[in-house]
Amino acid sequence: MNGYSTLLPVKLRDDARFNTVCIHAGQEPDPTTGAIVTPIYQTSTYVQDALGVHKGFEYGRTQNPTRSALEGNLAAIEHGKAAFAFASGMAATGAVMTLLQSGDHVVVTDNTYGGTYRLFERVLRKYQLDFSYVDTSDVEAIRAAITPKTKLLFLETPTNPVLRLTDLAAACEVAHARGVPVVVDNTFASPYVQRPIDFGADLVIHSTTKFLNGHSDSIGGVVVAVNDAHIEWLRFIQNAEGAILGPMDAWLVLRGTKTLPIRMERHNANAMILAETLAAHPKVARVHYPGLTTHPHHALARKQMRGFGGLISFELGSLERARTFLNSLQLMALAESLGGVETLISHPASMTHASVPPERRLQIGITEDMVRVSVGIEDIDDLKDDLAQALDRV
Ligand SMILES: *Cc1c(COP(=O)(O)O)cnc(C)c1O
């Protein structure tokens, strides 16, 4: 499906290819000056020509040209019909959940992002929404979890941090057979690696904070939709709740998506080499990376993904060994988040997943000795040197 040219007045051919779409979709030279880069329209309101006569822009929460450019760009990149940019990935997820009503039930990937789990369990349960967490890598488990009250299937693939995959085409088929729409949090893969709408998904969520922006300098989120009813509601809720992405951040993400394909090529290539290096190292107990033939979903990864992404997790045998390793790194930065040009490394049990109860952490495979790497686009030999010297100390 390709509706690029209908999104905005952009003279991009319908058959434009991915790199071209990333650079051009949603943007046209600034009509007043010809500036090739969409300006940051840092304004709260717009002067009207006369009573009831305006240029389509009335108030900055409702419309902003920089945000619109980004939304057109991201809709095209994800093969959707429209996109809505929010103040964070969590605000984007929160907006999608307003499609539901009290009493509705949602089937969720069991090791979904920790913040998503917190939103569902600590906030949305207060509004009588019900959630079942299942291993969505097993299509039969999805089928079994759907009830007449199920109104959404919420998928994340690959998952954080153990990188399990869900077969998107199979999951969408099962959900759609029961009239259940499918939303995919595609943050971990990025639309270079996989485009869920091509496999049947109805909605795609991103934390633009990660690969889409790619430079670790902005927090944001987006929802991409294809169905008119979803689009109408999301446009309404973006304005009604007002958790919009600001113009400066929209501009940063728009700059980021121009280089998404070349950044992802390098993320993919560097991560593959590091995963193989780690798997061959005697001090590493176990490596999780969909690109390794030992990964349980490797065949699915080959079918559904373009490259295997920039995230790796691995186990070092004990918390003490993981601590020594993390404290010995010189180049890789100890930090939460992912998807930036610089390599970030973290300890899921005490950092990103600290809010998840310990017994649940173990259920979803997050052990105390696990380390997660968001592989950046530095020179691979420098990354390998840093890993080697830190592993030497373990
Ligand atoms: C970071 C992240 C989020 C939340 O995004 P924010 O921009 O931090 O609000 C949601 N899902 C996944 C998979 C993430 O990695």
Side-chain angles (χ1 to χ4, degrees):
M1 184 184 150
N2 180 340
Y4 306 145
S5 60
T6 59
L7 292 168
L8 277 176
V10 170
K11 290 162 211 75
L12 196 57
R13 276 171 46 161
D14 248 1
D15 59 354
R17 294 160 183 85
F18 193 73
N19 292 270
T20 310
V21 169
C22 286
I23 293 167
H24 294 286
Q27 297 148 93
E28 60 176 356
D30 180 51
T32 39
T33 62
I36 192 158
V37 172
T38 304
I40 305 167
Y41 284 90
Q42 195 72 41
T43 188
S44 61
T45 191
Y46 309 88
V47 178
Q48 309 197 0
D49 294 334
L51 200 60
V53 184
H54 56 74
K55 298 179 168 68
F57 296 92
E58 295 149 282
Y59 184 60
R61 169 162 34 77
T62 322
Q63 307 108 346
N64 180 283
T66 319
R67 195 177 82 218
S68 301
L70 175 66
E71 291 171 338
N73 181 254
L74 293 177
I77 288 176
E78 273 292 4
H79 291 182
K81 256 203 240 169
F84 301 92
F86 291 91
S88 68
M90 289 322 305
T93 302
V96 166
M97 301 315 282
T98 65
L99 288 162
L100 303 173
Q101 297 183 7
S102 66
D104 287 351
H105 171 249
V106 185
V107 175
V108 189
T109 299
D110 60 358
N111 46 10
T112 191
Y113 179 72
T116 302
Y117 178 74
R118 179 174 55 202
L119 174 71
F120 292 177
E121 291 301 305
R122 304 274 303 275
V123 182
L124 299 181
R125 277 201 186 271
K126 283 176 53 177
Y127 300 91
Q128 285 79 48
L129 291 178
D130 189 21
F131 301 91
S132 297
Y133 300 89
V134 306
D135 178 1
T136 53
S137 68
D138 175 3
V139 180
E140 289 315 313
I142 301 176
R143 201 192 307 274
I146 293 177
T147 74
K149 291 191 164 172
T150 306
K151 292 292 162 3
L152 198 62
L153 172 61
F154 192 104
L155 300 175
E156 200 177 312
T157 178
T159 59
N160 177 23
V162 287
L163 305 167
R164 294 179 64 80
L165 307 190
T166 294
D167 184 330
L168 288 171
C172 289
E173 202 181 305
V174 165
H176 288 164
R178 303 279 291 275
V180 175
V182 180
V183 52
V184 180
D185 181 337
N186 200 29
T187 302
F188 255 49
S190 92
Y192 173 90
V193 170
Q194 96 199 343
R195 286 184 292 281
I197 288 168
D198 292 349
F199 297 101
D202 301 274
L203 294 153
V204 174
I205 294 173
H206 278 280
S207 166
T208 61
T209 312
K210 315 294 169 52
F211 289 108
L212 287 175
N213 181 52
H215 293 75
S216 310
D217 52 12
S218 154
I219 298 282
V222 70
V223 183
V224 183
V226 285
N227 303 330
D228 291 342
H230 291 160
I231 290 168
E232 197 182 324
W233 178 258
L234 289 165
R235 180 170 289 123
F236 173 79
I237 204 72
Q238 185 189 39
N239 183 52
E241 287 191 336
I244 49 158
L245 190 67
M248 176 75 196
D249 290 286
W251 185 85
L252 283 167
V253 181
L254 207 43
R255 168 184 253 211
T257 57
K258 290 188 170 78
T259 56
L260 178 72
I262 56 168
R263 284 188 287 108
M264 291 315 302
E265 277 161 26
R266 180 68 77 83
H267 284 297
N268 280 345
N270 279 359
M272 190 70 225
I273 294 169
L274 283 198
E276 281 169 343
T277 307
L278 286 163
H281 200 286
K283 288 184 179 167
V284 177
R286 197 164 161 206
V287 183
H288 305 266
Y289 187 65
L292 296 176
T293 52
T294 51
H295 189 283
H297 306 142
H298 178 66
L300 174 60
R302 282 196 171 279
K303 194 174 88 179
Q304 172 171 292
M305 299 165 76
R306 178 174 172 203
F308 305 102
L311 277 299
I312 304 171
S313 62
F314 59 99
E315 296 165 31
L316 279 164
S318 73
L319 175 59
E320 244 346 275
R321 288 159 65 92
R323 192 193 311 276
T324 305
F325 170 76
L326 288 168
N327 290 341
S328 304
L329 291 163
Q330 291 165 355
L331 176 62
M332 301 188 183
L334 181 63
E336 294 192 8
S337 200
L338 58 112
V341 291
E342 55 286 280
T343 298
L344 301 182
I345 197 153
S346 68
H347 181 245
S350 69
M351 294 169 72
T352 48
H353 289 68
S355 68
V356 177
E359 58 288 355
R360 201 186 131 68
R361 275 206 302 267
L362 283 179
Q363 264 168 22
I364 57 184
I366 304 169
T367 52
E368 295 268 289
D369 65 334
M370 180 178 279
V371 167
R372 185 192 81 187
V373 197
S374 170
V375 182
I377 64 171
E378 297 97 337
D379 281 286
I380 187 63
D381 288 334
D382 291 327
L383 297 178
K384 282 168 76 173
D385 286 351
D386 198 28
L387 270 189
Q389 66 80 23
L391 283 168
D392 277 350
R393 309 224 177 177
V394 170

